[in-house]
Amino acid sequence: MNNLNISVFASGGGSNFKAILKAKRNGIIKSNIPLLITNNSHCGAVEIAKKNSVNVVHISRKVYPDLDEKEYSQVFLNVLEKFKIDLIVLAGYMKLLPEYVVERYENRIINIHPALLPSFCGKGMYGINVHRAVLEAGVKVTGITIHYVNKEYDKGKIIFQKCVEIKENDNEISLQKRVLKYEHKYYPLVIASLEKIISYEKSNN
Ligand code: GRF
């Protein structure tokens, strides 16, 4: 039996979050998804959470300018503990996670990147910028990468990659659209595999 709890972290439109919730409805993902954490209370992901009765917690540095790293981490950890979160799924979350959250949830935080790591990553490489850089580089193939999160941007161990074709007449928008389709298909499937492993490990501890 799976009684795991997943928290999604998002800052943007939330199309991956939506795909994850759909996979939950379809029984592909078995865990509960009780919590969305966001740094942007006006983003699309918040609307999606509200429509799907997912609790939203807004945590932003702007609200806690005086906390040190440990205290700021604790703000996240308190919420994550309250909801008994086992797995953190970053889905377009634009902030670096505080270091004690990363430490506490080692191998329990995953992210999706819209290109084949270790290429096209690092600071500024998010959203449409990634697809623009891919086209400018003239590479013949792009893809998606799902990886564990550690203290550095886009540097955690890779869990899954899938290539996505680049077409002759692609622009950054058409490419982003094609890549997103792959994200929506594979992110839920990877989450479903991981939850089985976490569930097994929890019950054998
Ligand atoms: C996706 O392309 C994802 O790979 C990246 O941020 C984007 C989020 O899109 N990390 P959305 O908010 O899920 O639509």
Side-chain angles (χ1 to χ4, degrees):
M1 200 190 86
N2 171 348
N3 54 2
L4 299 183
N5 294 310
I6 291 175
S7 175
V8 173
F9 282 44
S11 315
S15 69
N16 276 285
F17 179 38
K18 201 169 175 182
I20 291 165
L21 290 171
K22 185 173 173 201
K24 164 72 187 160
R25 276 198 307 279
N26 294 343
I28 294 165
I29 292 175
K30 311 279 186 225
S31 305
N32 306 310
I33 308 173
L35 179 63
L36 174 78
I37 292 188
T38 185
N39 61 304
N40 174 5
S41 52
H42 301 296
C43 70
V46 168
E47 291 311 310
I48 294 168
K50 286 182 181 159
K51 276 192 196 132
N52 288 276
S53 309
V54 175
N55 297 284
V56 177
V57 176
H58 174 229
I59 305 178
S60 159
R61 253 294 177 202
K62 286 180 196 148
V63 183
Y64 303 101
D66 300 328
L67 300 188
D68 65 23
E69 185 70 4
K70 198 161 195 168
E71 292 165 333
Y72 188 54
S73 298
Q74 200 54 50
V75 175
F76 285 83
L77 291 173
N78 289 345
V79 178
L80 294 167
E81 272 154 32
K82 178 175 163 204
F83 286 91
K84 299 190 180 348
I85 297 301
D86 301 287
L87 175 66
I88 295 174
V89 172
L90 307 188
Y93 185 65
M94 298 303 187
K95 296 285 173 193
L96 206 53
L97 282 178
E99 77 177 85
Y100 298 97
V101 176
V102 177
E103 208 172 280
R104 161 70 183 74
Y105 278 87
E106 194 186 0
N107 292 328
R108 294 282 184 273
I109 310 175
I110 60 172
N111 181 43
I112 187 161
H113 186 74
L116 295 172
L117 293 178
S119 295
F120 305 107
C121 68
K123 230 176 160 44
M125 277 294 175
Y126 59 86
I128 205 75
N129 298 351
V130 177
H131 305 293
R132 187 177 306 126
V134 161
L135 290 175
E136 277 171 10
V139 292
K140 297 295 175 204
V141 72
T142 185
I144 63 169
T145 303
I146 297 166
H147 62 96
Y148 287 110
V149 170
N150 62 16
K151 287 174 192 168
E152 283 177 275
Y153 268 113
D154 301 329
K155 290 277 169 60
K157 255 189 297 161
I158 291 173
I159 303 167
F160 177 89
Q161 289 188 305
K162 192 84 187 169
C163 291
V164 178
E165 179 192 10
I166 297 176
K167 296 187 178 166
E168 199 59 46
N169 55 356
D170 261 332
N171 57 39
E172 52 214 45
I173 304 289
S174 61
L175 188 56
Q176 182 181 46
K177 251 176 131 174
R178 191 173 317 115
V179 170
L180 269 174
K181 276 195 186 151
Y182 279 73
E183 296 187 38
H184 300 161
K185 179 169 177 194
Y186 287 103
Y187 210 11
L189 294 177
V190 170
I191 293 167
S193 320
L194 285 179
E195 66 180 3
K196 286 198 189 101
I197 297 169
I198 297 170
S199 194
Y200 172 82
E201 285 177 353
K202 270 187 91 175
S203 59
N204 283 280
N205 254 336

